[in-house]
Amino acid sequence: MRPPDDKTMPVQDTDHADFWPLFARVLGRPVPPGDYTPADLPEWDSLRHVELIFELEAHYGIDVPQDRIAAMFEGTGAILAHLRESAARPG
């Protein structure tokens, strides 16, 4: 099962290329880099989203505040934005 072709996009260095294999592992399916929402990927339900948050925290060594967890459920763009913000923060 593939996501719609119009959702795929090239990955830039700032887009955390290592996010995509992690995301695919959590969803249990291949997911090429792209701009997705949960509506695009039926496997991305609320339970998988919480699992994704745990995986992101462990992999990147970050904490995701509770108020950001729901915001990150908007789509991969919101997740990548949070990862960029976390990487830019000192410490």
Side-chain angles (χ1 to χ4, degrees):
M1 184 181 221
R2 283 187 31 144
D5 288 332
D6 62 340
K7 295 285 186 176
T8 60
M9 65 183 180
V11 176
Q12 299 172 359
D13 291 342
T14 59
D15 284 338
H16 293 85
D18 54 339
F19 163 77
W20 297 102
L22 183 149
F23 187 52
R25 187 176 70 247
V26 169
L27 295 186
R29 62 170 287 176
V31 182
D35 186 23
Y36 304 105
T37 68
D40 298 318
L41 302 165
E43 298 86 358
W44 189 3
D45 59 17
S46 59
L47 185 57
R48 290 269 174 95
H49 185 68
V50 171
E51 183 180 346
L52 177 62
I53 297 301
F54 286 136
E55 291 289 332
L56 292 172
E57 289 179 328
H59 182 78
Y60 292 104
I62 61 172
D63 289 319
V64 179
Q66 283 186 323
D67 62 325
R68 293 300 299 267
I69 293 172
M72 291 168 68
F73 198 44
E74 292 176 10
T76 53
I79 294 169
L80 292 170
H82 182 77
L83 294 177
R84 282 190 291 274
E85 290 168 16
S86 295
R89 277 188 229 125

